[in-house]
Every structure is written in structure tokens, then in C-alpha cells.
Amino acid sequence: MKKFVVLEGHDAAGKTTVAEELARDLGGVYIKTPGSEYAGIRKAIDREASAETRLLFYLTSVSDASDKIKAMRKSRDIVCDRYIWSSIIGYAAYSGKSLDEVVERLQQITDHLEPPNHIILLYTNEEEQIRRLARRRNGSASDAECVTNGTFRRHINGLYERMRELYRWTAIDTSGEGDSLTLQAGQVTINFNGPAASDISSRATDATIYRF
């Protein structure tokens, strides 16, 4: 069975850029949730649906991705851009429920999904996050909310930090412009020039996330 790596993080943290490059360097498969096959309905769901309906939509896309990942990782490494934890965080943010309550409620679903070998939280400072979001074309409803609503943006970012604490993820600050991936001697290292949050021991500017 090959490796399965998940990158989580708030909007504009660099997940897609890093995940695509990591998958390419590993000769693996890049997967994003929701996948492109959900793009048409996703805009309507994000714009019009209740928090409960949004949750069901995103859980469906994650479950679908889990089935595909389970089959593909028999022969290929998988790098996934968002998994169930982003769905949980989004629901907690839009429903007003506590993150711990939602995690407990959805634990059976989480346990049913294909488990990753590594989960990495990417994050950036608020100034850099806003700058990146402002450059996006055809951004999501969440992107727009994060740009215009500082309270919402900080709440979402805080939920990712709380999730990191619950699951003890490694977290990497991607605020710097000079990032790179290094594949050498049986390991992949992600290097960022952005500042590290040195007060949290599991965070670092450089992190080895994959061994084989």
C-alpha cells in the first residue's frame, strides 16, 4: 500500500500549489475535495444551501474521494488537497456549533474514511492571506467572506489551529515567497522562508513529511 498525504489549511494557505508539486515530484496522484466533477453544483450549494445541506454535500465529496483513494493507493502515492477536516471546520463555522462537538458527532464517518499517513496544516499570516485571496479569479464564497469579514476570517483560522491541537498535526507557515520541495535520500522536505511560529513546538519552517 502506497502513502496517502493530506494537506489542510485555511483559504490561500498554499495547499493546491504544494499538493500539486508534491504529487508531481513523487510521481503520485493529486486529488482535491470537492473534485472538479462537483464544481457546477458546488457554487449553488455554497451560495444558497443551509449549513446542514452544505455539510452533507461536502461529506459526500469526501466519501467519494476516499473510495477512489483507497483503490488508487494500491499502486500510486496520493496527495490530497483538503479532506474531511475542512468540511468539519466549514460546518462549525457556518452553523455556529463548537468544533469539538462537530468532531465528536462526525467521528464515525471520519473513522470510515481511508486514513492518511500524514496530515499537514499549512497556514499564513492574515496580511498574506488577504493579498493572495485578492489576486484570485473566480474565488469561492468562502474566499470572498475571508477578504471582507475579518471576524469570520480569524474564526476560521482559529478553528484550523484548534483542529491541529486535537490531532497534533505538523503545521507550516507558508507566508514567505520562497518555497520549495526537495526529494532526496528517501524523504520529501517542504521548505518555506516564511517566519515560523516558534512558540508551538510542532511548527517549523522546514518539515519532512514523507519517508519511504
Side-chain angles (χ1 to χ4, degrees), residues 1-50:
M1 191 70 70
K2 296 290 188 175
K3 297 293 184 180
F4 171 27
V5 178
V6 171
L7 298 182
E8 287 282 5
H10 59 68
D11 292 334
K15 297 180 300 300
T16 300
T17 300
V18 173
E20 288 179 340
E21 186 173 348
L22 181 55
R24 183 168 55 249
D25 282 6
L26 291 173
V29 178
Y30 167 80
I31 288 183
K32 183 173 185 176
T33 65
S36 58
E37 64 271 30
Y38 294 93
I41 192 173
R42 179 183 180 182
K43 290 184 178 181
I45 292 290
D46 285 345
R47 183 175 60 249
E48 303 170 4
S50 67

Side-chain angles (χ1 to χ4, degrees), residues 42-59:
R42 179 183 180 182
K43 290 184 178 181
I45 292 290
D46 285 345
R47 183 175 60 249
E48 303 170 4
S50 67
E52 291 288 340
T53 301
R54 286 167 59 102
L55 175 64
L56 292 173
F57 166 75
Y58 281 98
L59 289 180

Side-chain angles (χ1 to χ4, degrees), residues 5 12 15 23 38 52 60 69 88-90 102 104 111 127 130 154 156 162 173 176 192 201 203 208:
V5 178
K15 297 180 300 300
Y38 294 93
E52 291 288 340
T60 297
I69 290 166
I88 291 172
I89 286 170
V102 178
E104 182 177 0
D111 292 342
E127 181 180 355
I130 294 170
R154 286 185 286 274
I156 285 282
R162 175 56 183 156
D173 186 337
F192 289 99
S201 60
R203 288 180 166 174
T208 300

Side-chain angles (χ1 to χ4, degrees), residues 2 7 59 98 112 125-126 131-132 181 185 189 192 209:
K2 296 290 188 175
L7 298 182
L59 289 180
S98 77
H112 176 72
N125 62 52
E126 283 193 74
R131 187 182 71 83
R132 293 177 185 177
L181 291 170
T189 300
F192 289 99
I209 67 168

